[in-house]
Amino acid sequence: MSIDVDFSLALNDRTGKLFLGKDIISTLGTRVTRVRYGRFHEFPQTDFMRRVAGRLTLKETVARVFRPRLSSLLPVIRDPRPTLHLDPLSVVRHRLEARDIVLCHDVGPITHPQYFAPGVHEFYVLAYDQIRRIKPHMVFVSKTTQQEFHRLYGEDYASSSVIYNPTRLGVKEGEGRAVDGVSSRFLLTVGSVGDRKNQARCIEAFAASGLAQEGWQYVIVGQCEPGAEAAIELAKQSAGVIMPGYTSDDQLRWLYRNASGFVLMSLLEGFGMPVIEAIEYDLPCLVSRSSILTEIGGEAMIDADPLDKESIAAGMRSLACLPDDERSRRMAQARTHLANFAREPILESWRHLVERIG
């Protein structure tokens, strides 16, 4: 069976979705006849053209949602082959059919619209309404997301599968370069900075933990999203908190290699790839209790209530003061759990899915 793939998210997205999409397209090989980037059949060759294509694709999406009569002048896309949508949003530009496949990372724009930019909620309302009507083949990156989707949009889809995100190649390879101002004892958070990732409350928790007075630092790395300003301002006022801004790959490797523990107290998470990366670097992790992060990290995770500053502070102290034997036990447990994200079995699941649907 051959399929087409809509990879429009590659025009604007630089998160884990981009790497996953590349992995899927690569592993499907000749099963993929054509890849779409918006209305284009080839990825733009220059960064300028990528931005132009991204803006045009966004404008069409906005028109489909907010100006449907005007957008009706531009025909929707319908290829003769089934289409794999690497993000649900791309279905608004297509005539979706039950034979198509939609990859769902999370339903956060529906359940927690306050954590996203204006308009994102409306985009996904239209996309998921189309998906609910047509009921194509659905693939989810976690059991948590699958359960939440079906709670919201019902059952009886062409199929419903969970295929985890695979570990990324080359995460630990390459030189490391120190980040100015970071000492030998620090906790690390990697991920977009904003309300959704809860860094402001984590900064308050770090201050309450007393670790700064003992010489510890808390390093937060990531690009900005809605709510980042509050976290950045709070970091400036808090002893021991460092937000270095943009970090290169070699600096990020150095941070992972030298951190004493990893913290991810997200209020909403699509998958939590930074937790997988932290485990690969043998870092014990503190994550949000009863969240997708406990599914992804397994029983080796230290957890805390992400809405309770004191709970986070206690978790940070536990992470910083973890005895060597406890650390070794947790990391052995985490590495065993990491087998769930081994690349080849996961990518084989994608090949099998496409062949089965065909």
Side-chain angles (χ1 to χ4, degrees):
M1 174 190 179
S2 63
I3 63 170
D4 291 339
V5 177
D6 191 301
F7 197 21
S8 300
L9 70 87
L11 297 171
N12 297 305
D13 197 298
R14 290 296 178 269
T15 67
K17 293 181 182 180
L18 175 67
F19 298 104
L20 176 60
K22 289 181 176 180
D23 280 340
I24 292 171
I25 291 170
S26 175
T27 198
L28 292 179
T30 56
R31 299 173 181 84
V32 176
T33 300
R34 180 164 55 188
V35 180
R36 284 187 176 275
Y37 304 91
R39 292 274 169 174
F40 302 89
H41 295 156
E42 293 184 1
F43 190 76
Q45 296 185 359
T46 68
D47 191 56
F48 172 75
M49 289 305 300
R50 177 188 64 78
R51 292 197 301 271
V52 170
R55 287 172 185 159
L56 290 173
T57 302
L58 177 60
K59 285 182 179 295
E60 180 180 350
T61 303
V62 170
R64 297 281 179 201
V65 175
F66 296 109
R67 304 184 71 181
R69 294 182 65 180
L70 176 63
S71 66
S72 65
L73 300 174
L74 180 64
V76 293
I77 300 167
R78 182 63 254 174
D79 291 312
R81 295 165 293 275
T83 298
L84 166 59
H85 295 271
L86 291 174
D87 186 273
L89 188 56
S90 64
V91 306
V92 304
R93 297 184 300 274
H94 289 250
R95 178 164 58 82
L96 187 65
E97 295 183 355
R99 60 179 179 154
D100 293 334
I101 307 168
V102 179
L103 172 60
C104 179
H105 300 268
D106 66 86
V107 290
I110 302 297
T111 58
H112 297 77
Q114 68 272 26
Y115 297 142
F116 295 86
V120 171
H121 172 71
E122 289 79 6
F123 292 169
Y124 280 92
V125 165
L126 178 61
Y128 283 123
D129 280 350
Q130 286 186 227
I131 290 168
R132 174 165 46 189
R133 283 189 293 103
I134 303 302
K135 298 188 181 302
H137 299 275
M138 298 298 300
V139 181
F140 304 90
V141 300
S142 71
K143 295 175 183 177
T144 302
T145 297
Q146 182 187 45
Q147 292 166 359
E148 185 69 359
F149 174 88
H150 287 304
R151 182 186 71 81
L152 293 168
Y153 296 108
E155 307 287 343
D156 300 324
Y157 286 76
S159 68
S160 176
S161 309
V162 173
I163 303 179
Y164 284 129
N165 290 358
T167 53
R168 293 211 292 260
L169 288 173
V171 169
K172 298 178 67 175
E173 297 174 2
E175 297 296 322
R177 181 159 61 90
V179 175
D180 291 342
V182 178
S183 68
S184 59
R185 294 199 304 173
F186 64 93
L187 303 179
L188 175 66
T189 290
V190 176
S192 300
V193 178
D195 292 337
R196 182 170 63 98
K197 298 289 187 172
N198 204 26
Q199 286 95 343
R201 188 175 281 112
C202 288
I203 293 170
E204 293 175 339
F206 180 75
S209 73
L211 289 170
Q213 287 70 40
E214 299 173 19
W216 284 82
Q217 293 177 319
Y218 179 33
V219 181
I220 301 172
V221 175
Q223 63 186 13
C224 294
E225 62 178 33
E229 298 81 5
I232 293 170
E233 188 59 34
L234 193 57
K236 294 176 181 177
Q237 304 168 13
S238 303
V241 178
I242 297 177
M243 297 183 72
Y246 173 79
T247 53
S248 61
D249 288 344
D250 53 352
Q251 287 176 313
L252 188 58
R253 280 190 287 269
W254 184 90
L255 289 169
Y256 271 124
R257 289 170 183 167
N258 289 277
S260 297
F262 187 80
V263 178
L264 196 57
M265 283 283 109
S266 295
L267 300 175
L268 177 69
E269 191 67 53
F271 182 76
M273 184 56 75
V275 170
I276 301 297
E277 294 176 350
I279 294 171
E280 291 187 303
Y281 279 97
D282 286 336
L283 287 180
C285 300
L286 171 66
V287 302
S288 305
R289 183 173 297 150
S290 301
S291 72
I292 189 173
L293 298 176
T294 52
E295 175 187 346
I296 300 307
E299 296 181 0
M301 302 294 98
I302 299 171
D303 62 15
D305 181 351
L307 296 174
D308 186 338
K309 180 180 69 176
E310 297 303 324
S311 178
I312 300 171
M316 286 179 165
R317 285 207 66 86
S318 296
L319 198 60
C321 303
L322 206 60
D324 289 344
D325 59 342
E326 177 72 3
R327 182 186 181 99
S328 297
R329 183 189 68 79
R330 286 184 180 273
M331 293 320 303
Q333 194 175 23
R335 283 191 293 273
T336 299
H337 185 72
L338 202 62
N340 291 316
F341 311 100
R343 287 183 61 80
E344 189 47 43
I346 287 176
L347 296 178
E348 176 59 32
S349 295
W350 275 103
R351 292 190 288 267
H352 175 72
L353 173 71
V354 170
E355 290 166 0
R356 176 174 60 83
I357 290 174

